[in-house]
Amino acid sequence: MSSLAAVESLGTATAGVCSMSEGLADTSVIIDWDDPAVLAALPDAVAISTITLAELAAGPHLARDPLERARRQARLQQVEALFDPLPFDVIAARSFGQVVAAATAAGRSHRSRLADLLIAAVAHANHLPLYTRNPQDFAGLSPLITVQAI
């Protein structure tokens, strides 16, 4: 998948077969990217969604402190340089319907964590596990996606 950025190695060869793990990181993971424990818990190749990029783009505008604004802007620029984000496309839009249904069936509001559910839809549409620092944000979605808590 060309939109996945390598985090560590590109996999290990076993009997001529490349073994590489892939996953979609949510915004919480990207925000904490500098934490060694976060990096160690990520798969070999990591993708982000355009929804995460949108959340990161909003970050500098929401910061009140100039130093925090600069930190958020630097992170946004770093992420823009490293990743070719997976789009929220027609397939993800169809997946979103299933994600909303699963969240509702679990007794959760689909409106309270809209960006999280959109990210989950991108993971579902691309058949990727979702890596997050906030697994509770994805409660009830296990029938559709694998949520990996970091």
Side-chain angles (χ1 to χ4, degrees), residues 3-139:
S3 61
L4 294 174
V7 173
E8 293 176 21
S9 69
L10 292 177
T12 56
T14 307
V17 176
C18 183
S19 171
M20 182 170 69
S21 60
E22 300 175 338
L24 183 74
D26 81 343
T27 309
S28 67
V29 169
I30 300 303
I31 289 170
D32 291 341
W33 188 265
D34 295 328
D35 181 339
V38 170
L39 283 179
L42 289 173
D44 299 321
V46 176
I48 65 164
S49 73
T50 53
I51 307 304
T52 289
L53 194 57
E55 287 188 300
L56 293 174
H61 300 286
L62 299 174
R64 296 174 195 247
D65 175 64
L67 293 175
E68 178 62 17
R69 187 175 307 115
R71 187 188 69 73
R72 290 180 184 189
Q73 184 65 37
R75 178 53 45 99
L76 171 62
Q77 291 170 330
Q78 177 189 34
V79 169
E80 288 173 333
L82 286 174
F83 292 95
D84 180 16
L86 296 174
F88 186 85
D89 57 11
V90 172
I91 297 167
R94 290 185 187 125
S95 289
F96 182 68
Q98 294 176 34
V99 167
V100 167
T104 302
R108 304 195 59 207
S109 170
H110 66 280
R111 290 191 168 107
S112 62
R113 304 296 301 179
L114 184 60
D116 293 328
L117 297 180
L118 291 168
I119 292 168
V122 172
H124 180 259
N126 289 279
H127 310 287
L128 293 170
L130 179 64
Y131 288 76
T132 182
R133 303 280 280 166
N134 304 311
Q136 68 280 1
D137 292 344
F138 303 96

